[in-house]
Amino acid sequence: MSNEVRITPSILNADFAHLDSEIAKIAQASDLIHLDIMDNVFVPNMTFDFQAATEIIKNCPIPVDSHLMVADVDLIAVQYAEAGSASVTIHVEATSDIRSTLKEIKSHGARASIALKPNTSINDYSEYFDLIDMVLIMTVEPGFGGQKFMENMMSKVKEARKLIGSRPIWLQVDGGISLSTIEIAREAGADTFVAGSAVFSAQDPAMMVEQLRTQAALH
Ligand code: DX5
Ligand code: ZN
């Protein structure tokens, strides 16, 4: 596993009315901004429509990591790549053609990534590891920020690390990442960490990003 640690704060728990200044607080300290897209179908919550998301992607001073929690994701994923996302993550549970959607995402210059909900086994998806740039293991049920970290997902993180082998694939965890859980996820093999409420409920969000990075780098 490489020593690199990436922190990708989620703006889900930021103040949506002042997103530009919320993003500005953490941009310099962060590797990418994690943008959660929810459609109220795949998950029981809704965030940004495509137009609002496009504005965020275009105005963001650092690369955007779009995490699509939407049903029938295939076409939408290509649109998010075209809109300028640095990385597009599709849920394996929401696609009808993983292989061609991953290829389409990459053909638009974005990194292509697959996400797995807590009840989805990774073994059924090992054949796609030659096509992906990142795998996202959900450490909560997708839908909301501020939920409890599911430590029992660490066996899946370890399996993902094994499947990655020597490939330069990032291994991301999302849900409940904080100063008290990031080390557990790092030890299991994650190198890319989404943190929403931990960052935006901190008094100094940029400092929290740095603290998370330091904490993860201890392992
Ligand atoms: C949840 C989202 C997460 C969420 C994480 O479905 O995918 O990105 O914002 O928030 P925290 O870090 O508060 O669990
Ligand atoms: Zn997310």
Side-chain angles (χ1 to χ4, degrees):
M1 178 168 65
S2 100
N3 285 330
E4 222 172 318
V5 167
R6 281 166 291 268
I7 310 290
T8 58
S10 162
I11 54 172
L12 185 62
N13 277 41
D15 178 358
F16 281 10
H18 304 100
L19 264 188
D20 283 353
S21 60
E22 292 280 85
I23 291 174
K25 283 182 196 165
I26 51 155
Q28 237 188 336
S30 309
D31 294 278
L32 299 95
I33 294 293
H34 182 85
L35 179 62
D36 289 302
I37 304 299
M38 304 185 185
D39 64 350
N40 214 9
V41 177
F42 183 71
V43 288
N45 195 4
M46 177 105 99
T47 54
F48 308 101
D49 62 21
F50 182 63
Q51 205 187 338
T54 302
E55 284 301 307
I56 295 169
I57 294 166
K58 290 214 182 336
N59 293 326
C60 190
I62 64 169
V64 173
D65 167 31
S66 294
H67 175 196
L68 306 181
M69 286 161 278
V70 301
D72 299 323
V73 71
D74 300 289
L75 266 180
I76 300 165
V78 181
Q79 292 169 350
Y80 273 85
E82 278 174 332
S85 305
S87 172
V88 177
T89 298
I90 59 170
H91 268 268
V92 294
E93 305 88 359
T95 161
S96 47
D97 193 344
I98 304 189
R99 192 168 288 277
S100 86
T101 301
L102 291 171
K103 283 187 180 159
E104 283 274 338
I105 292 170
K106 283 160 94 80
S107 77
H108 287 92
R111 297 172 62 87
S113 157
I114 54 171
L116 284 79
K117 295 207 286 185
N119 287 331
T120 304
S121 154
I122 196 158
N123 297 317
D124 304 336
Y125 299 97
S126 57
E127 63 180 290
Y128 301 105
F129 275 59
D130 280 329
L131 277 175
I132 57 174
D133 298 297
M134 182 169 82
V135 55
L136 164 53
I137 306 298
M138 291 302 302
T139 42
V140 296
E141 279 300 335
F144 300 93
Q147 301 182 76
K148 191 174 178 292
F149 176 73
M150 296 169 72
E151 193 168 343
N152 59 345
M153 289 298 115
M154 293 309 99
S155 53
K156 204 196 289 189
V157 173
K158 287 178 188 160
E159 278 177 59
R161 178 49 68 194
K162 262 197 223 146
L163 287 171
I164 288 171
S166 60
R167 289 179 273 221
I169 298 172
W170 297 356
L171 176 44
Q172 189 177 48
V173 283
D174 182 4
I177 296 296
S178 69
L179 285 175
S180 53
T181 59
I182 196 165
E183 288 178 69
I184 301 167
R186 175 65 174 165
E187 259 173 8
D191 58 16
T192 305
F193 304 88
V194 179
S197 47
V199 168
F200 282 100
S201 66
Q203 254 194 348
D204 184 339
M207 192 184 284
M208 178 52 71
V209 173
E210 289 306 347
Q211 286 173 337
L212 287 166
R213 191 186 297 285
T214 307
Q215 191 86 345
L218 293 176
H219 290 272

